[in-house]
Amino acid sequence: MTRTDSADVPRPDAQLHFGVFFQGVNHWTIWSDPSSGSQIDPASFLRVARTAERGLFDAFFLGDGLRLRESEGGVHELDVAGRPDSITQLSALAAATERIGLVSTSNTTFNEPGDLARRLAGLDLLSGGRAGWNVVTTHNAWTGENFRRGGFLDHADRYRRAEEFLSVARAVWDGWAEGAVAGSADARSWSVPDAVARVRSKGAHFDVDLVPTLPRSAQGHPVIFQAGDSGEGRDFAARQADVVFSAHGTEFDDALAFAEDIRRRLRAAGRAEDALRILPGTEIIIGATEKEAEEKERWVRLEQVTPAVALGIASRLWGFDLSDRDADGPLPAEDPVVAAYEGKFGTRQLGETLDTVAEWRAKAEANGWSLRETVIELGPQRGHVGTPAGLAERFARFVRHGAVDGFNISPYLVPDGLDDIVDLLVPELQERGVYRSAYTGTTLREHLGLAPVG
């Protein structure tokens, strides 16, 4: 029993928000199924975006990366890999969609604020005020190798740079006053004198002197998304973001604890509790019956965690190559190799490695799991499984008790992975009055119910 089993519902009129996350680089998108399409064909992006818009989703969210993931100094070949420049791809989708928000993942570690702010402003104008920016602070060393300075920033420094970056970006977006362009052919000049403000900013990370080239969009600024889950990341979101993503959307109590923590941080930052939307990332698997949904989930997990994927995950945990082992056999008998993290190429899971391995061994032995089954059972919890009606009831509880404001959905198949959600789940949510029946605004900020930019 949870603490919300009371008849009292704190948010009886709350509405659920959905976004779709087109990941691009991952092993969770099933590429081996015959129904799977291309991850890089523009038609796949368009199909997903239009399905989401048909389902009245708030946003199409595009992951971005400046370099393919690497492991032990080489490309991580088990990933589905394909990421066009996010702003370029979203600009194309702006012309092919009408209402859905378009969210670009763009990092603050390897970009410059004047340039990125201008490109995001361009997307916002092209789309009629539908742009969003997922602010990420890239930490990995292999991305740094793309750039002359190389390397990466310490964790705290990345957030300091991001805060300074956002400050400059907002100054750029605010650079044009309302009515900056002369409204009469008889005016002495094309722009009203002093209506475009020069941006000068000199701080620890940037020394900027520029004149903004674009006016505000219909929503004022692109909507700011953020996904850091550390203490610094949560504080950054509370100070700066309009929407926060999280990994806390599967278990109700965990989701509610995260939401309450974010609201506490919002109050500490001097912001209202409803100034931020909480959209955990999730995966949704739907069946006509609970048994069918469970069978489908088993198929999905086996397709996502192939023998090679299971051995790859275990190799990173144990710290040495296990690719010649039997994924359907037992866990390695050897102890893991725990190396100091020096910022070099590689994606080994360090830190609590010994404790994690001990937990894996104990649970595998107790349940009779193979290595692959252990990875499936103890890996990241991927989301929600059930019937359309059962999921609608569950999601209504989540949103109306303040555990979430919605979900950012990662389809396990592209480009058709949203069809069941739009065709089967959305009508059940609408029947319960927990999901919109039509778009009521034109901008992403309006979809999310956020306050206008001052």
Short mmCIF file of all heavy atoms in Angstrom, two decimals, residues 222-248:
data_model
loop_
_atom_site.label_atom_id
_atom_site.label_comp_id
_atom_site.label_asym_id
_atom_site.label_seq_id
_atom_site.Cartn_x
_atom_site.Cartn_y
_atom_site.Cartn_z
N PRO A 222 12.69 29.58 -26.89
CA PRO A 222 12.56 28.12 -26.92
C PRO A 222 12.36 27.58 -25.50
O PRO A 222 12.92 28.11 -24.53
CB PRO A 222 13.90 27.64 -27.50
CG PRO A 222 14.39 28.81 -28.32
CD PRO A 222 13.94 30.03 -27.56
N VAL A 223 11.56 26.54 -25.37
CA VAL A 223 11.34 25.91 -24.06
C VAL A 223 12.60 25.16 -23.65
O VAL A 223 13.19 24.43 -24.44
CB VAL A 223 10.13 24.96 -24.13
CG1 VAL A 223 9.96 24.20 -22.82
CG2 VAL A 223 8.86 25.73 -24.47
N ILE A 224 13.01 25.32 -22.40
CA ILE A 224 14.25 24.71 -21.90
C ILE A 224 13.94 23.39 -21.20
O ILE A 224 13.18 23.34 -20.24
CB ILE A 224 14.99 25.65 -20.94
CG1 ILE A 224 15.32 26.98 -21.64
CG2 ILE A 224 16.26 24.98 -20.41
CD1 ILE A 224 16.22 26.85 -22.84
N PHE A 225 14.56 22.32 -21.72
CA PHE A 225 14.47 20.98 -21.13
C PHE A 225 15.81 20.63 -20.50
O PHE A 225 16.86 21.08 -20.96
CB PHE A 225 14.14 19.94 -22.20
CG PHE A 225 12.78 20.06 -22.82
CD1 PHE A 225 12.46 21.13 -23.66
CD2 PHE A 225 11.81 19.09 -22.59
CE1 PHE A 225 11.21 21.24 -24.24
CE2 PHE A 225 10.56 19.19 -23.17
CZ PHE A 225 10.25 20.26 -23.99
N GLN A 226 15.78 19.79 -19.46
CA GLN A 226 17.02 19.38 -18.81
C GLN A 226 16.83 17.99 -18.20
O GLN A 226 15.73 17.65 -17.76
CB GLN A 226 17.40 20.39 -17.73
CG GLN A 226 18.87 20.40 -17.35
CD GLN A 226 19.20 19.40 -16.27
OE1 GLN A 226 18.34 19.04 -15.49
NE2 GLN A 226 20.44 18.95 -16.24
N ALA A 227 17.92 17.19 -18.19
CA ALA A 227 17.76 15.79 -17.79
C ALA A 227 18.78 15.32 -16.76
O ALA A 227 18.86 14.12 -16.51
CB ALA A 227 17.84 14.88 -19.01
N GLY A 228 19.55 16.19 -16.16
CA GLY A 228 20.53 15.73 -15.18
C GLY A 228 19.87 15.22 -13.91
O GLY A 228 18.93 15.83 -13.40
N ASP A 229 20.37 14.09 -13.37
CA ASP A 229 19.75 13.50 -12.20
C ASP A 229 20.61 13.62 -10.94
O ASP A 229 20.20 13.22 -9.86
CB ASP A 229 19.45 12.02 -12.47
CG ASP A 229 18.44 11.45 -11.48
OD1 ASP A 229 17.62 12.23 -10.95
OD2 ASP A 229 18.47 10.24 -11.24
N SER A 230 21.81 14.17 -11.08
CA SER A 230 22.62 14.40 -9.90
C SER A 230 22.04 15.56 -9.10
O SER A 230 21.13 16.26 -9.55
CB SER A 230 24.05 14.73 -10.31
OG SER A 230 24.08 15.97 -11.01
N GLY A 231 22.60 15.79 -7.91
CA GLY A 231 22.16 16.94 -7.14
C GLY A 231 22.35 18.23 -7.89
O GLY A 231 21.47 19.11 -7.91
N GLU A 232 23.53 18.37 -8.56
CA GLU A 232 23.79 19.57 -9.35
C GLU A 232 22.82 19.68 -10.51
O GLU A 232 22.33 20.77 -10.84
CB GLU A 232 25.22 19.55 -9.89
CG GLU A 232 26.30 19.65 -8.83
CD GLU A 232 26.79 18.28 -8.39
OE1 GLU A 232 26.02 17.29 -8.50
OE2 GLU A 232 27.95 18.19 -7.96
N GLY A 233 22.50 18.54 -11.15
CA GLY A 233 21.57 18.56 -12.26
C GLY A 233 20.17 18.95 -11.84
O GLY A 233 19.50 19.73 -12.52
N ARG A 234 19.73 18.45 -10.71
CA ARG A 234 18.39 18.80 -10.23
C ARG A 234 18.31 20.28 -9.84
O ARG A 234 17.31 20.95 -10.11
CB ARG A 234 18.00 17.91 -9.04
CG ARG A 234 17.86 16.44 -9.40
CD ARG A 234 17.35 15.63 -8.22
NE ARG A 234 17.40 14.19 -8.47
CZ ARG A 234 16.72 13.28 -7.77
NH1 ARG A 234 15.97 13.67 -6.74
NH2 ARG A 234 16.81 12.00 -8.05
N ASP A 235 19.36 20.78 -9.20
CA ASP A 235 19.38 22.21 -8.85
C ASP A 235 19.39 23.07 -10.10
O ASP A 235 18.73 24.12 -10.15
CB ASP A 235 20.60 22.52 -7.99
CG ASP A 235 20.43 22.09 -6.54
OD1 ASP A 235 19.27 21.94 -6.10
OD2 ASP A 235 21.45 21.90 -5.85
N PHE A 236 20.15 22.64 -11.11
CA PHE A 236 20.19 23.38 -12.37
C PHE A 236 18.80 23.43 -12.99
O PHE A 236 18.34 24.49 -13.45
CB PHE A 236 21.19 22.72 -13.32
CG PHE A 236 21.29 23.37 -14.67
CD1 PHE A 236 22.08 24.49 -14.86
CD2 PHE A 236 20.60 22.86 -15.75
CE1 PHE A 236 22.17 25.09 -16.11
CE2 PHE A 236 20.68 23.44 -17.00
CZ PHE A 236 21.47 24.57 -17.18
N ALA A 237 18.11 22.29 -13.01
CA ALA A 237 16.76 22.26 -13.56
C ALA A 237 15.83 23.18 -12.78
O ALA A 237 15.03 23.92 -13.37
CB ALA A 237 16.22 20.83 -13.54
N ALA A 238 15.93 23.16 -11.46
CA ALA A 238 15.06 24.01 -10.64
C ALA A 238 15.30 25.49 -10.88
O ALA A 238 14.37 26.30 -10.82
CB ALA A 238 15.26 23.68 -9.16
N ARG A 239 16.53 25.85 -11.18
CA ARG A 239 16.84 27.27 -11.44
C ARG A 239 16.52 27.68 -12.87
O ARG A 239 16.09 28.81 -13.11
CB ARG A 239 18.32 27.53 -11.17
CG ARG A 239 18.74 27.49 -9.72
CD ARG A 239 20.15 28.05 -9.53
NE ARG A 239 21.15 27.31 -10.29
CZ ARG A 239 21.83 26.27 -9.83
NH1 ARG A 239 21.60 25.83 -8.59
NH2 ARG A 239 22.73 25.66 -10.57
N GLN A 240 16.71 26.78 -13.83
CA GLN A 240 16.78 27.21 -15.22
C GLN A 240 15.74 26.60 -16.16
O GLN A 240 15.43 27.19 -17.19
CB GLN A 240 18.17 26.89 -15.80
CG GLN A 240 19.33 27.55 -15.08
CD GLN A 240 19.40 29.05 -15.34
OE1 GLN A 240 18.70 29.58 -16.20
NE2 GLN A 240 20.24 29.74 -14.60
N ALA A 241 15.23 25.41 -15.88
CA ALA A 241 14.48 24.65 -16.88
C ALA A 241 12.98 24.91 -16.82
O ALA A 241 12.43 25.34 -15.80
CB ALA A 241 14.76 23.16 -16.73
N ASP A 242 12.33 24.62 -17.95
CA ASP A 242 10.87 24.61 -18.03
C ASP A 242 10.33 23.18 -17.91
O ASP A 242 9.19 22.97 -17.49
CB ASP A 242 10.40 25.19 -19.37
CG ASP A 242 10.85 26.61 -19.58
OD1 ASP A 242 10.57 27.46 -18.71
OD2 ASP A 242 11.51 26.89 -20.61
N VAL A 243 11.14 22.22 -18.32
CA VAL A 243 10.76 20.80 -18.28
C VAL A 243 11.97 20.01 -17.82
O VAL A 243 13.09 20.28 -18.24
CB VAL A 243 10.32 20.29 -19.67
CG1 VAL A 243 9.91 18.82 -19.60
CG2 VAL A 243 9.19 21.14 -20.24
N VAL A 244 11.75 19.02 -16.96
CA VAL A 244 12.83 18.14 -16.54
C VAL A 244 12.49 16.71 -16.91
O VAL A 244 11.38 16.24 -16.68
CB VAL A 244 13.13 18.27 -15.03
CG1 VAL A 244 11.94 17.84 -14.17
CG2 VAL A 244 14.37 17.46 -14.64
N PHE A 245 13.42 16.04 -17.57
CA PHE A 245 13.31 14.61 -17.83
C PHE A 245 13.90 13.87 -16.64
O PHE A 245 14.73 14.40 -15.91
CB PHE A 245 14.07 14.22 -19.09
CG PHE A 245 13.51 14.80 -20.35
CD1 PHE A 245 14.35 15.18 -21.37
CD2 PHE A 245 12.15 14.95 -20.54
CE1 PHE A 245 13.86 15.71 -22.55
CE2 PHE A 245 11.63 15.48 -21.70
CZ PHE A 245 12.50 15.86 -22.72
N SER A 246 13.52 12.60 -16.48
CA SER A 246 14.11 11.81 -15.42
C SER A 246 13.99 10.34 -15.76
O SER A 246 13.30 9.94 -16.70
CB SER A 246 13.41 12.08 -14.08
OG SER A 246 12.20 11.33 -13.99
N ALA A 247 14.66 9.51 -14.95
CA ALA A 247 14.53 8.07 -15.04
C ALA A 247 13.58 7.55 -13.96
O ALA A 247 13.58 6.36 -13.65
CB ALA A 247 15.90 7.41 -14.90
N HIS A 248 12.79 8.44 -13.40
CA HIS A 248 11.93 8.11 -12.25
C HIS A 248 10.46 8.11 -12.68
O HIS A 248 9.67 8.92 -12.19
CB HIS A 248 12.17 9.10 -11.12
CG HIS A 248 13.59 9.16 -10.65
ND1 HIS A 248 14.11 8.28 -9.73
CD2 HIS A 248 14.62 9.97 -11.03
CE1 HIS A 248 15.39 8.55 -9.54
NE2 HIS A 248 15.72 9.58 -10.31
#
